[in-house]
């Protein structure tokens, strides 16, 4: 049994007390004396040339402090991209400028043209409406394939085309893959769309910029998942502010799902304006603005081919994907359809040959970047859908086809350049089958048919790569930042502990789970351990939270720092007990001398560290504080098997999810309750994508799903009671905690399970439908049924 409050205990989240009682401190709660407010005038056309901006009347309006346009940012850096991709011919990607405020052209609906700073939000908004902007409408390009035609309008006039890059991986495999597919006994082909998504975190983005003229220091309060990265990008590459003169604070953040990783123009603007005006400047995003300014996710169009021999063994995979970048390159956008997607195309299987081609395309739409899973859901969806289709074509049970091709020997080097260190895919699949009562499905299908419903069962597997690392490898792949994590452990004189971590918590429960790790290592109650994050002024340089990396990378940094603490404390204990350091043992908050009854408590050693009367200072300096940076040796590889059971109403096309089960291998688990909650959240987003959500533009580039009236968000009654299990654990072999990460799994494994189940329902009802693109809305399903009939 786990210790109370230690690793493996389902300790309640301590941070929930302030969230549930309304005492959290979010960015919008921060108001600084004398602050002004900004309203952005945004483009209402998708593509146009700015011929003039007349602010004269607006400047006369009550409360206006100053109006900024792109001209004020001449000579100021643009918003940088944090990852460079080299195409399959060895050329670097096309990388256009991304100005803070539009200069010369607007390139998507929502592109900021001017910013009004005023004494109140209302005055800023009123003045923005008085600005006269003369825009020459230009043809917009929305469809990716149309954007690559020779006569397509160019999103960026200074680029040779709308093609950002044409990436091939592994290029050396290409001819062998083509040959294997040409000569294979059977080839299954599937064309599919992974639709554009809006992250929709509960809290919209908020920014407060502050400036202290006395010491020339700027402070940015922002809704960010990685404040240190924002400080680096904005300070060094946009505004030219030295890091020691720029503080970035991300207080409580109400969800992110990837959309708050990136550096946004509003952050740079408020910091810039605060310096110019020598007063605080605040911006609070409306939900309507969020739809057209937050980075979107997914938006891939793919053709995948799977070659099999006569027995169903996988021989080769070939994919051709168009990935939408939107109008500009967001912070990590180029990495998502390439290194976070192509390297996962092996899945859980031993396919010997794989080739992935990705064409990244600029369009007149909101920039696209990482969204929960980031590349891994796209890879899993393609692979698991084409496997299900192949099973039907070859009349092989879909479970057995997967088993026939599982990886079973570890470590396993895939043909797409990653090495799985550990896993047991049979165990998670076996556990899933126990959970869903597959043998009883035929009876449940027959009962549904009596009610006029079509019942289907969809099963699939997944694997993901978490803790993006190591830095030297990802640097070679184009990352423009290190991907380590850091922690400072400060032990107080009375034995309590403060941990300063570069990871950021915005729903993950770090303040609870990190304290559990510390409690386990030190042997003191978790209540005596404080986890501090989100402020570049008091935490060491860290890379933040994304990619399910926090416990695997941030937690490992904390462990390494704590090991240093214990090492020094052991030396102090040896002096106090007049024993050899090698004889000192430490367990449950007690230092003992092996083979004796001598003991000294943790608190006594900590006090001695700060009141050093009993050991020689020339050998050991006072204090008990250590910092560690942890750079992983490899990704971690969570994996699992998911199943969805659905009913389809053939008269309306409505899909009802009757049951959903998830069997995951997350390695060692710190807090089972938090892990279960993370999986539930991921399932809700993945099922939401499969059935409901989708971001839609019309041909002119107008966002026609720009509110909750048009963008269908999942609700509680759209889901059954989830059954989740993480008992089939194979600990990670290369980090000190043996953890793998759990935050994105649910969003990765659930979409193909739902689509597989719906196709199974239709096929089981004699309706020959092999694929329906997400979201599987009633209208789409009904149309598919009518088309088959």
């Amino acid at each position: 049994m786990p210790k109370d409050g230690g690793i493996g205990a389902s300790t309640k989240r301590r941070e929930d007390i302030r969230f549930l009682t309304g005492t959290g401190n979010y960015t919008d709660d921060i108001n600084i004396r004398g602050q002004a407010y900004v309203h952005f005038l945004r483009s209402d056309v998708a593509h146009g040339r700015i011929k003039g901006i007349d602010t004269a009347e607006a400047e006369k309006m009550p409360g206006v402090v100053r109006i900024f346009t792109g001209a004020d940012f001449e000579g100021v850096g643009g918003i940088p991209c944090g990852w460079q991709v080299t195409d399959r011919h060895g050329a670097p990607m096309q990388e256009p400028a991304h100005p803070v405020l539009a200069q010369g052209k607007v390139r998507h609906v929502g592109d900021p043209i001017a910013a009004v700073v005023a004494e109140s939000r209302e005055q800023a908004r009123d003045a923005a409406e008085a600005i006269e902007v003369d825009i020459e409408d230009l043809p917009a390009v929305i469809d990716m394939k149309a954007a690559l035609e020779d006569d397509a309008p160019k999103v960026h006039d200074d680029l040779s085309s709308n093609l950002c890059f044409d990436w091939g991986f592994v290029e050396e495999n290409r001819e062998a893959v083509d040959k294997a597919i040409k000569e294979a006994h059977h080839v299954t082909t599937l064309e599919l769309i992974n639709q554009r998504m809006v992250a929709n975190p509960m809290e919209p983005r908020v920014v407060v910029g502050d400036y202290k003229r006395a010491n020339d220091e700027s402070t940015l309060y922002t809704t960010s998942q990685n404040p240190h990265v924002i400080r680096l990008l904005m300070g060094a590459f946009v505004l030219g502010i030295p890091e020691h003169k720029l503080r970035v604070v991300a207080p409580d953040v109400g969800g992110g799902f990837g959309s708050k990783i990136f550096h946004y123009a509003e952050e740079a603007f408020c910091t810039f304006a605060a310096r110019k005006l020598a007063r605080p400047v605040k911006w609070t995003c409306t939900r309507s603005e969020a739809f057209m300014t937050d980075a979107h996710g997914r938006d891939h169009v793919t053709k995948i081919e799977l070659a099999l021999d006569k027995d169903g063994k996988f021989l080769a995979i070939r994919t051709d994907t168009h990935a939408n970048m939107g109008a500009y390159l967001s912070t990590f956008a180029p990495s998502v359809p390439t290194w976070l997607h192509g390297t996962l195309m092996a899945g859980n299987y031993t396919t010997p040959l794989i080739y992935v081609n990705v064409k990244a395309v600029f369009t007149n739409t909101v920039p696209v970047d990482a969204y929960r899973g980031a590349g891994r859901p796209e890879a899993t969806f393609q692979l698991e859908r084409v496997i299900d289709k192949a099973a039907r074509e070859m009349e092989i049970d879909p479970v057995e086809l997967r088993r026939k091709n599982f990886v079973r020997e570890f470590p396993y080097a895939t043909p797409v350049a990653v090495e799985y260190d550990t896993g047991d895919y049979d165990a998670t699949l076996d556990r899933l089958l126990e959970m869903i009562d597959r043998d009883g499905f035929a009876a449940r299908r027959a009962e549904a048919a009596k009610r006029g419903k079509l019942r289907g069962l969809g099963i699939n597997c997944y694997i993901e790569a978490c803790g993006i690392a190591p830095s030297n490898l990802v640097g070679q792949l184009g990352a423009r930042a290190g991907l380590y994590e850091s922690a400072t452990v400060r032990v107080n004189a009375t034995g309590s502990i403060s941990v300063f971590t570069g990871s950021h918590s915005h729903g993950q429960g770090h303040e609870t789970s990190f304290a559990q790790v510390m409690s386990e290592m030190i042997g003191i109650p978790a209540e005596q351990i404080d986890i501090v994050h989100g402020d570049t002024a008091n935490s060491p340089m860290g890379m933040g939270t994304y990619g399910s990396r926090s416990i695997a990378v941030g937690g490992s940094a904390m462990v390494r720092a704590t090991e240093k603490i214990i090492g020094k404390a052991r030396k102090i204990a040896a002096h106090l007990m007049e024993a050899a350091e090698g004889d000192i043992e430490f367990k449950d908050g007690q230092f003992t001398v092996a083979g004796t009854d001598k003991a000294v408590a943790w608190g006594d050693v900590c006090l001695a560290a700060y009141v050093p009367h009993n050991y020689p200072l020339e050998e050991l300096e006072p204090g008990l504080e250590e910092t560690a940076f942890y750079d992983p040796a490899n990704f971690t590889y969570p994996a699992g098997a998911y199943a969805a059971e659905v009913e389809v109403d053939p008269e309306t096309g409505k899909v009802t999810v009757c049951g959903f089960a998830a069997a995951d291998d997350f390695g060692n688990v710190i807090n089972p309750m938090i892990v279960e909650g993370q999986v539930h959240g991921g399932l809700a987003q993945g099922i939401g994508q499969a059935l409901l959500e989708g971001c839609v533009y019309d041909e002119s580039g107008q966002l026609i799903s720009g509110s909750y009236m048009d963008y269908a968000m999942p609700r509680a009654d759209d889901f059954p009671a989830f059954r989740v299990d993480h008992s089939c654990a194979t600990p990670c072999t290369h980090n000190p905690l043996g953890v793998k990460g759990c935050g994105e799994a649910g969003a990765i494994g659930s979409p193909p399970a739902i689509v597989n189940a719906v196709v199974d329902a239709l096929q089981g009802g004699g309706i020959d439908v092999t694929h329906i693109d997400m979201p599987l809305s009633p209208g789409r399903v009904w149309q598919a049924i009518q088309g088959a009939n």
Side-chain angles (χ1 to χ4, degrees):
M1 292 292 292
K3 296 178 184 177
D4 184 29
I7 291 175
S10 288
T11 305
K12 290 184 179 179
R13 297 191 345 161
R14 62 168 68 173
E15 48 269 70
D16 285 348
I17 295 173
R18 68 177 186 272
F19 298 150
L20 294 174
T21 58
T23 55
N25 183 39
Y26 296 90
T27 307
D28 200 43
D29 295 320
I30 296 171
N31 294 289
I32 304 171
R33 184 177 180 180
Q35 77 184 14
Y37 298 84
V38 62
H39 182 88
F40 291 94
L41 176 65
R42 301 184 182 277
S43 176
D44 59 3
V45 300
H47 197 198
R49 198 172 311 280
I50 300 173
K51 302 183 73 174
I53 304 174
D54 184 354
T55 63
E57 291 301 315
E59 288 169 350
K60 299 174 186 176
M61 295 186 69
V64 172
V65 177
R66 180 169 170 179
I67 298 176
F68 294 83
T69 66
D72 294 293
F73 286 84
E74 296 290 345
V76 175
I79 306 302
C81 178
W83 201 296
Q84 183 184 64
V85 166
T86 301
D87 74 11
R88 63 190 185 89
H89 306 293
M93 66 188 187
Q94 295 202 92
E95 190 170 358
H98 184 178
V100 175
L101 295 178
Q103 296 173 344
K105 284 175 69 174
V106 291
R107 295 180 173 89
H108 68 88
V109 171
D111 214 356
I113 298 170
V116 179
V117 179
E119 299 294 345
S120 73
R121 288 189 182 93
E122 294 75 18
Q123 289 172 327
R125 183 180 62 243
D126 291 346
E129 293 175 356
I131 297 174
E132 296 285 344
V133 182
D134 183 6
I135 294 181
E136 175 191 353
D137 276 11
L138 299 173
V141 59
I142 307 303
D143 180 81
M144 286 186 280
K145 293 182 180 180
L148 297 181
E149 295 177 0
D150 291 340
D151 59 349
K154 287 202 291 186
V155 178
H156 296 273
D157 296 340
D158 54 333
L159 301 187
S160 61
S161 70
N162 291 321
L163 180 67
C164 180
F165 56 79
D166 181 359
W167 185 77
F169 189 71
V170 174
E171 196 64 30
E172 293 78 9
N173 289 350
R174 188 170 190 169
E175 290 186 5
V177 170
D178 290 347
K179 183 174 184 292
I181 290 175
K182 183 178 181 181
E183 297 175 356
H185 171 77
H186 183 86
V187 177
T188 294
T189 302
L190 182 61
E191 296 187 24
L192 47 80
I193 294 172
N194 208 299
Q195 79 271 33
R196 181 179 283 238
M197 302 288 288
V198 180
N200 284 307
M202 186 178 295
E203 176 200 29
R205 290 187 296 120
V206 183
V207 177
V208 182
D210 192 19
Y211 176 64
K212 303 300 183 188
R213 181 176 290 170
N215 55 10
D216 191 34
E217 287 187 358
S218 292
T219 300
L220 171 68
Y221 301 91
T222 183
T223 46
S224 175
Q225 299 177 217
N226 46 0
H228 281 282
V229 174
I230 302 306
R231 183 177 70 161
L232 174 64
L233 293 176
M234 187 179 74
F237 299 104
V238 184
L239 301 180
I241 303 172
E243 283 185 275
H244 70 290
K245 293 293 185 182
L246 176 59
R247 176 189 178 201
V248 177
V249 181
D252 288 331
V253 173
F257 314 123
S259 69
K260 293 175 183 174
I261 298 172
F262 323 119
H263 176 37
Y264 287 96
E266 293 86 359
E267 293 169 324
F269 175 83
C270 288
T271 306
F272 177 87
R275 292 178 70 89
K276 288 292 183 183
L277 302 174
R279 63 184 294 188
V281 175
K282 183 174 186 176
W283 171 72
T284 299
C285 184
T286 66
R287 187 60 68 179
S288 295
E289 278 184 296
F291 272 97
M292 59 183 177
T293 63
D294 289 6
H296 292 171
R298 312 287 193 255
D299 207 350
H300 288 190
V301 177
T302 297
K303 176 182 178 181
I304 181 170
E305 297 163 283
L306 172 63
L308 306 93
D309 70 12
K310 62 183 177 59
D311 298 317
K313 287 290 287 182
F314 300 165
L315 303 175
I317 292 170
R318 180 170 62 198
T319 74
D320 181 25
T321 292
H322 287 73
N324 205 331
M325 296 289 100
Y328 303 101
L329 290 177
S330 182
T331 306
F332 292 123
S335 69
V336 174
T338 53
W339 300 111
L340 300 182
H341 158 245
T343 54
L344 270 295
M345 282 309 304
N348 309 63
Y349 312 107
T350 57
T351 312
L353 293 167
I354 299 174
Y355 180 74
V356 178
N357 178 241
V358 177
K359 295 176 179 66
V361 185
F362 292 113
T363 62
N364 292 115
T365 61
V366 170
V368 178
D369 209 319
Y371 169 66
R372 197 170 191 168
R376 284 74 55 85
E378 294 90 323
T380 299
F381 186 71
Q382 298 167 38
L383 187 58
E384 294 298 324
R385 282 294 300 122
V386 80
I387 291 172
D388 238 48
K389 187 168 185 275
R392 292 190 182 280
E393 291 174 351
M394 297 187 71
E395 298 182 345
I396 301 175
D397 179 275
V399 169
E400 295 311 310
L401 182 59
R402 289 172 168 86
R403 283 197 197 276
K404 190 184 292 285
N405 290 281
F406 272 164
V407 174
R408 292 189 173 89
E409 295 183 5
F410 297 89
Y412 175 76
T414 75
V416 279
V418 295
E419 182 176 278
Y420 305 158
D421 63 322
T422 185
D424 189 341
Y425 309 144
D426 285 296
T428 50
L429 184 54
D430 289 343
R431 182 70 188 99
L432 179 80
L433 295 176
E434 292 173 7
M435 296 165 70
I436 65 172
D437 181 24
R438 192 185 189 207
D439 292 341
F441 173 70
R444 296 193 296 276
R445 170 175 273 177
E447 187 278 329
K450 293 177 181 177
R451 293 183 282 107
K453 301 295 193 296
L454 307 176
R455 198 166 182 110
L457 177 63
I459 295 174
N460 61 266
C461 300
Y462 81 91
I463 189 168
E464 61 165 324
C466 301
I468 308 170
S471 293
N472 63 344
L473 173 61
V474 296
Q476 296 171 34
L477 303 181
R480 289 167 169 166
L483 290 169
Y484 53 83
E485 199 45 83
S486 63
T488 294
V489 176
R490 178 181 300 160
V491 181
N492 300 308
T494 56
S496 63
I497 297 172
S498 294
V499 178
F500 301 88
T501 173
S503 297
H504 185 276
S505 182
H506 42 276
Q508 293 83 359
H510 295 172
E511 294 174 35
T512 301
S513 56
F514 279 31
Q516 288 179 249
V517 173
M518 294 295 297
S519 176
E520 182 86 12
M521 293 186 72
I522 302 297
I524 63 174
E527 292 75 20
Q528 295 182 26
I529 301 162
D530 193 23
I531 307 299
V532 183
H533 61 93
D535 188 341
T536 62
N538 62 25
S539 61
M541 176 72 175
M543 293 295 106
T545 294
Y546 45 85
S548 303
R549 73 191 299 269
S550 293
I551 194 65
V553 188
S556 294
M558 181 178 66
V559 168
R560 293 301 186 222
T562 305
E563 289 171 345
K564 294 181 183 180
I565 290 285
I566 293 171
K568 183 176 179 180
R570 183 177 280 112
K571 295 178 188 292
I572 297 172
H575 282 288
L576 294 177
M577 292 186 287
E578 299 179 337
E581 181 187 339
D583 292 336
I584 301 298
E585 297 176 348
F586 180 57
K587 184 179 180 181
D588 296 334
Q590 289 281 114
F591 292 91
T592 58
V593 180
T596 76
D597 60 358
K598 287 185 176 181
V600 62
W602 166 257
D604 295 330
V605 172
C606 298
L607 183 61
Y610 290 94
V611 186
H613 294 164
N614 295 310
Y615 61 87
L617 295 180
E618 65 271 14
E619 294 181 18
L620 204 59
E621 66 183 26
L624 206 51
E625 179 173 327
E626 297 287 349
T627 295
F629 288 78
Y630 179 79
D631 201 341
N634 190 4
F635 293 93
T636 64
Y637 298 98
Y642 284 11
E645 196 161 322
V646 304
E647 283 189 359
V648 178
D649 184 340
E651 298 300 319
T652 65
K654 179 176 171 54
V655 176
T656 300
V657 183
C658 305
F660 201 101
D664 296 289
D665 174 4
F666 294 136
N668 292 335
V669 170
I670 306 301
N671 185 313
M673 182 185 68
I674 288 177
V675 167
E676 186 171 338
Q678 287 286 300
V679 174
H680 282 200
L683 293 177
Q685 286 186 275
I687 296 171
Q689 177 177 8
L691 294 180
L692 296 161
E693 298 181 58
C695 182
V696 182
Y697 285 89
D698 69 14
E699 292 180 356
S700 68
Q702 291 296 324
L703 181 62
I704 59 175
S705 57
S707 77
Y708 290 142
M709 295 296 290
D710 304 293
Y711 187 97
M713 289 285 284
R715 300 167 183 253
D717 62 359
D718 291 312
F719 307 115
F722 298 134
R723 287 167 289 161
V724 302
D725 180 89
H726 46 258
S727 63
C728 303
T730 59
C732 176
T733 61
H734 56 78
N735 68 54
L737 289 168
V739 294
K740 295 184 177 183
C742 67
E744 296 165 297
I748 293 169
S750 54
I754 293 291
V755 179
N756 287 348
V758 171
V759 171
D760 182 64
L762 299 182
Q763 292 270 347
I767 301 169
D768 188 19
V769 172
T770 58
H771 180 70
I772 306 173
D773 279 321
M774 300 184 292
L776 274 64
S777 62
R780 282 193 177 182
V781 175
W782 185 85
Q783 287 178 337
I785 293 170
Q786 302 314 305
N789 289 338

